[in-house]
């Protein structure tokens, strides 16, 4: 049987834009994509589960994974490590299934280097002002921290250039619809469809 490789989708964007919320809403809908669960050194938040939300690891264990080249990408974010386990992504794509990553921007750039054929989606805030409101409404941050995050977010927005698509997160439902449309479109790409037919012909001719 001819099996076509799955497509790697990467959702990224500035901090506080709502990547996690959009990703969760997307996976609550019917999707054939497989979510790649990340490893992290941050502690578990209430309601989170090992192997569902993250693989929670010690700093030592995480650094061991880095050393053994077991991560497709990793980044340090707010004093913790976050990374994508390589094996799951490679094996799942080989099985012909699409894989979905939801990661911050430094990691997305690393994936771009290793998987330029991936589909990179930038989730963008409707405006920096809105981003500020969202960060403030979390209620736990000081003004300085908020300003620092905003500055960081501004820098991150400049990174939009590395992406294939920009989805504005005005309403979660709209963002999810757009991502689903992107997934469908990518499956209709001439390169992908034609290469599948060509392989089919090679088999029938031999
Ligand atoms: P949180 O601690 O709120 O779950 O996640 C913090 C940030 O880390 C979010 O922007 C999230 O997208 C990002 N993140 C989650 N997993 C990964 C990963 O495997 N790699 C990278 N680079 N970032 C990740």
């Amino acid at each position: 049987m001819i099996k076509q490789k799955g497509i790697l989708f990467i959702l990224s964007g500035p901090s506080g834009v709502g990547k996690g919320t959009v990703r969760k809403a997307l996976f609550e809908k019917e999707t054939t994509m497989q979510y790649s669960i990340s490893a992290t050194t941050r502690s578990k938040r209430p309601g989170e589960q090992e192997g569902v939300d993250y693989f929670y690891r010690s700093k030592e264990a995480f650094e061991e994974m880095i050393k053994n080249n077991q991560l497709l990408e990793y980044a340090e974010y707010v004093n913790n490590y976050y990374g994508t386990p390589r094996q799951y992504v490679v094996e799942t794509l080989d099985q012909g299934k699409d894989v979905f990553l939801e990661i911050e921007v430094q990691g997305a750039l690393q994936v771009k280097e290793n998987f330029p054929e991936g589909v990179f989606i930038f989730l963008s805030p409707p405006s920096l002002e809105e981003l500020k409101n969202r960060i403030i409404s979390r209620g736990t941050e000081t003004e300085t921290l908020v300003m620092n995050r905003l500055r960081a977010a501004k820098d991150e927005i400049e990174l939009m250039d590395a992406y294939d698509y920009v989805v504005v997160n005005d309403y979660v439902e709209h963002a999810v619809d757009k991502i689903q449309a992107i997934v469908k479109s990518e499956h209709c790409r001439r390169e992908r469809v034609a290469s599948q037919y060509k392989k089919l012909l090679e088999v029938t001719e031999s």
Side-chain angles (χ1 to χ4, degrees):
M1 208 184 95
I2 303 164
K3 206 164 226 170
Q4 196 174 19
K5 268 192 158 199
I7 306 177
L8 180 62
F9 291 93
I10 301 95
L11 180 71
S12 192
S15 67
V17 73
K19 296 186 288 294
T21 309
V22 168
R23 185 256 302 170
K24 282 185 192 129
L26 176 68
F27 277 86
E28 273 164 18
K29 299 226 163 163
E30 209 177 288
T31 171
T32 50
M33 290 190 287
Q34 309 296 309
Y35 175 59
S36 159
I37 300 161
S38 299
T40 185
T41 57
R42 85 145 160 80
S43 42
K44 213 186 272 176
R45 293 188 189 133
E48 290 185 346
Q49 281 176 275
E50 162 72 21
V52 176
D53 298 283
Y54 282 105
F55 299 112
Y56 301 90
R57 296 292 178 263
S58 66
K59 191 164 182 267
E60 294 69 32
F62 198 100
E63 283 172 349
E64 198 59 27
M65 286 193 284
I66 299 173
K67 213 172 81 191
N68 296 333
N69 201 24
Q70 289 170 317
L71 298 173
L72 189 67
E73 60 74 34
Y74 72 93
E76 246 185 294
Y77 177 84
V78 198
N79 297 325
N80 279 301
Y81 282 128
Y82 293 82
T84 304
R86 182 189 299 278
Q87 194 180 1
Y88 176 80
V89 173
V90 171
E91 285 180 3
T92 310
L93 291 174
D94 282 346
Q95 287 164 15
K97 296 177 193 152
D98 295 345
V99 176
F100 189 89
L101 309 183
E102 179 247 300
I103 60 178
E104 53 68 66
V105 287
Q106 304 164 58
L109 287 180
Q110 290 171 48
V111 178
K112 179 108 183 163
E113 278 172 28
N114 299 321
F115 276 86
E117 72 278 23
V119 178
F120 293 80
I121 307 171
F122 190 91
L123 192 67
S124 139
S127 70
L128 274 178
E129 191 52 35
E130 167 108 347
L131 176 67
K132 188 177 171 190
N133 292 339
R134 283 184 201 198
I135 294 171
I136 291 169
S137 69
R138 281 185 189 165
T140 49
E141 276 106 335
T142 64
E143 190 64 22
T144 328
L145 194 64
V146 169
M147 289 322 292
N148 285 345
R149 282 207 188 204
L150 263 181
R151 219 164 288 135
K154 230 178 143 185
D155 292 342
E156 286 168 352
I157 288 168
E158 282 165 14
L159 292 173
M160 236 184 232
D161 282 353
Y163 293 75
D164 301 301
Y165 295 94
V166 177
V167 168
V168 177
N169 189 19
D170 44 6
Y171 296 99
V172 173
E173 277 306 301
H174 293 178
V176 168
D177 284 350
K178 285 177 191 164
I179 295 171
Q180 285 182 320
I182 292 168
V183 173
K184 274 193 194 159
S185 312
E186 285 296 325
H187 276 276
C188 298
R189 267 194 184 279
R190 194 245 320 136
E191 303 92 292
R192 290 184 63 77
V193 178
S195 71
Q196 205 175 14
Y197 283 118
K198 278 177 194 155
K199 276 190 207 148
L200 203 76
L201 285 178
E202 279 166 23
V203 172
T204 47
E205 277 167 1
S206 58

